[in-house]
Amino acid sequence: MIRRASAACTAAVAALLLLSGCDDGDAQFAPPLPSGAGYRDDGGALRIWTGTPCQGVTRVALTFAGPGNDRARLVLTAAAPGVTVEHLDLAAPDPALTVVEALPAGYDWRDADTVNLVIDAAEPAWGSVVDVDDVVAGSPEHPGSTFLFDDLGWKDRADVDAENGSSFVTVCSPDATQG
């Protein structure tokens, strides 16, 4: 009986992989290490640090996912050839970026469960997702120069400089495609 269940599970997994279209070729589109951006609650304002500058940015999308299926998005764009982005502040977006999709009036990002960052840039950029509760709870406990990089921990400039490319990659790390 156990042998039949094991064979059935193996067949189900194989069928799922075939149906999903996964193959080793997809690995070329993933960074060689975990990717991350830094997040910090600065008196209720969400500040984001990409860790390294993102060159030629034409679009930044922040998706806030809340309880149930609640979602809110902030989408910022820039005309080609794009702009350089390293810091984002929800309270005062960079004037080089145009808001094309605003958060709902009165929206409090701290009510979300997660924040997902997607950047379209001249070079490949990797995604980032962070737990909002971790950002809000951890920010007062860490120096103002540190940011929570996804689930990789709180990092300052020296940490990012030392670890980028060895234990993780920033979302716009120029060496991330060299896996």
Side-chain angles (χ1 to χ4, degrees):
M1 182 72 103
I2 292 175
R3 192 172 290 175
R4 279 189 204 158
S6 177
C9 287
T10 301
V13 169
L16 181 61
L17 288 174
L18 284 172
L19 290 174
S20 69
C22 294
D23 62 29
D24 290 338
D26 289 341
Q28 67 183 333
F29 299 111
L33 297 167
S35 64
Y39 301 82
R40 178 167 198 82
D41 178 0
D42 188 13
L46 177 60
R47 291 184 16 215
I48 300 171
W49 175 36
T50 61
T52 53
C54 298
Q55 306 292 333
V57 173
T58 56
R59 184 175 178 271
V60 175
L62 288 167
T63 303
F64 299 85
N69 287 328
D70 290 343
R71 292 200 185 281
R73 284 177 31 113
L74 172 66
V75 179
L76 309 166
T77 62
V83 297
T84 299
V85 173
E86 187 173 4
H87 297 277
L88 295 166
D89 185 338
L90 229 58
D94 187 324
L97 296 166
T98 302
V99 176
V100 295
E101 188 175 336
L103 291 170
Y107 183 78
D108 188 346
W109 66 272
R110 294 170 296 183
D111 293 334
D113 293 331
T114 60
V115 178
N116 180 10
L117 171 68
V118 175
I119 296 175
D120 294 339
E123 297 295 323
W126 311 110
S128 172
V129 178
V130 71
D131 185 308
V132 170
D133 287 343
D134 292 344
V135 174
V136 172
S139 291
E141 299 171 3
H142 292 87
S145 61
T146 62
F147 290 75
L148 178 59
F149 275 75
D150 294 27
D151 60 353
L152 305 168
W154 290 85
K155 302 182 186 305
D156 63 13
R157 169 73 62 193
D159 297 327
V160 170
D161 289 347
E163 298 174 32
N164 187 28
S166 61
S167 62
F168 83 103
V169 293
T170 61
V171 291
C172 292
S173 181
D175 299 326
T177 58
Q178 304 303 316

